[in-house]
Amino acid sequence: MTEYYFHAEKMSVGYQMRPLIEKIEIGLQKGEILTLIGPNGAGKTTVLKSIAGQIGLLGGTVYLDGRSIGGMSGSELSRKMAVLLTEKLRTELMSCEEVVSTGRYPYTGHFGLLSAGDRAAVREAMELVHVTDIADRDFQRISDGQRQRVMLARAICQEPEIIVLDEPTSYLDVRHKLEFLSVLQKLRREKRLTVVMSLHELELAAKVSDKILCVNGRYAGKFGKPEEIFRPGAIGELFGISTGSYDEESGGMELAAPEGQAEVFVIAGGGTGRTVYRSLQRQGIPFAAGILFRNDLDYPVAKALSARCIAAESFEPVPEALLLEAREQINACQKVICCRETFGTYETANAELLAYAERSGKFKRGGIRSCQK
Amino acid sequence: MTDKRARYIVSFLFLGICAAALCVLNICIGSVEISLQDILASLSGRAVSRTQSRILWDIRLPRTLAAFVLGGGLALAGYLLQTFFHNPIAGPFVLGISSGAKMTVALTMVFLMGRAVRVSSAALIGAAFLGAMISMGFVLLMSRKVSNMAMLVVSGVMIGYICSAITELVITFAEDADIVNLHNWSRGSFSGMTWDNVAVMTAVTAAAFTAVFLLAKPLGAYQLGEAYARNLGVNILLLRVLLVVFSSILSGCIVAYAGPISFVGLAAPHLVKSLLGTTKPLLMIPACFLGGSVFCLFCDLLARNLLAPAEIGISTVTAVFGAPVVLWVMLHRNRERIS
């Protein structure tokens, strides 16, 4: 067995002796980022709190650097692990700098007075997350995004080896989400910080994490690398998605497809069809999409939204049978929309379809403009 | 940083000067005026008139010291309870802790006096501590059921009423001679302090103050919320037990000597917090103590002299000055939540 820096062995978590999730196995090397994903109420927070020693384990052991966390004293653990929880930090009349400096608690003397070294650590942490300019502002009077960054600075100046974060990006806008995760990556590169967190943004989780743990109600599902976890259909299953869909490969999500038989046939390709598909979905018009190569940008969206998607193998000529199928589909539709202005050498099938639609009076020239809206 | 430090120093100087000035005023002013020269003369051992000397040494000086010590202790108890419950309107009186102590003290007094046993200071403090702990126990039970701040205070007030009702009942059945004594005391008053009383209360309060001051660092972490405090290595359970014990000792000690005094524990910490501009326990603990002393000295001065020679109950005066502070705190908090 390889030596892990952070290792959860047969960990069972829950409240009041009632196990919520049992037999969780996690193994992380130093400097890896683990993200917990799963539906609301699945127990991500419970797992994180158990790891952080906030609630007692109901079974199993959590090892840090080969030593059981349960066997460490509070002050020893506080020098190794910092947390950033969803619970709001209660402060009154505290400046951001004062909030950050509470992270130095494990290192200060009996009365908690800061030494010059402590102050330097506070300053460094604040610079790292760019909150130096709000150092003197009252912590209660800054935005949620700023508050979250101040909290990160606080955790950083605790100089932990591992940091546990519960939905750290929830209140952040896109820019600050990216900045926040970049800081985590920087810390992990420069200080070999190990990160355990939960995220709701699956697409970000797939990008930033070295390991993913799926948490779903009663059991801890798969644990592994993002590419092992984000298999087609895995997310839909984990979250029990029944309305709409999530595409594991692109990280895009789509609302539910309109119900019923296709009324419109959309000829598209190369990403030109996506806006049309979505526009039809908004109007509640069921449609068919074709003929798309499986590696086309339009394909995942078409697959999610269309009543019928006629797709061809990538890098292969379109077989005659598929063309016939598409024609039949056009026959069944009242209207054809074409999103392509010209057709390339490998789009002869779609060019033929368009000509067929024109002949049968289901496509009117000039309709291109309207479909590009 | 230097701005803040300057503010802290000025605040402490202000509180110190106020406390000193009010001590002097409390000694000087009364139905018999004593001049500053006489006080200095008497303190340095030179002869002054017998009456003045007796008023000074037997009445005014112990009473002033008692107001100083108990006022400080009360404010400190209020601060600890506010910290403990994360509730700005907590205090020994509001949560029924003072009333609980009052009840057990009344029971003890009536029981022992009825048997013509002399009631010692230690017995009274012990009884008051026990009563404070009983009320505190109820409040703690309630706090597990209700997380709402206002509901907790309401349940505290209800406990207070129940305890007061029992006290009234006890007084009704007490001997005539005891009634006057008990009635005055149960309204809260600093009158009739002896040097023995002052010595014991000072010892108890000083010990509790020192212990609390040594807890300043974990208290600061506790203020952030329990989860974060635990992550910083604070032993939450131990700290909570210590907080309950010390706030009960302080509240009990005060009730044993001066009866239940309202609003000091509630208002003084808020006034001091606004003055200091921080909630750091390291500064708040001594400042609270001084602030409570100033508040009580001021109120006792008014209580003695406004309708002299009659005396107003100290709680009447503290309520007049304390209740607006509570209203102000609640308005202030609402405004913060909206913004």
Side-chain angles (χ1 to χ4, degrees), chain B residues 96-97 99-104 126-136 163:
Chain B
I97 295 167
S99 306
K102 177 172 89 168
M103 178 182 73
T104 47
F129 175 68
L130 196 71
M133 287 294 272
I134 291 172
S135 281
M136 189 75 183
C163 293

Side-chain angles (χ1 to χ4, degrees), chain B residues 36-50 52-53 56-57:
Chain B
L36 202 55
Q37 283 93 341
D38 288 342
I39 295 171
L40 290 174
S42 184
L43 285 176
S44 58
R46 269 179 286 138
V48 282
S49 81
R50 248 186 91 87
Q52 281 204 342
S53 168
L56 178 63
W57 284 99

Side-chain angles (χ1 to χ4, degrees), chain B residues 277-329:
Chain B
T278 180
T279 50
K280 278 190 198 133
L282 199 61
L283 295 163
M284 271 303 278
I285 291 168
C288 250
F289 191 91
L290 272 178
S293 300
V294 168
F295 195 87
C296 268
L297 285 167
F298 175 70
C299 289
D300 195 39
L301 189 65
L302 293 183
R304 283 195 302 124
N305 295 304
L306 266 185
L307 296 178
E311 207 175 302
I312 316 170
I314 180 85
S315 281
T316 314
V317 185
T318 52
V320 168
F321 290 96
V325 174
V326 179
L327 292 174
W328 170 72
V329 167

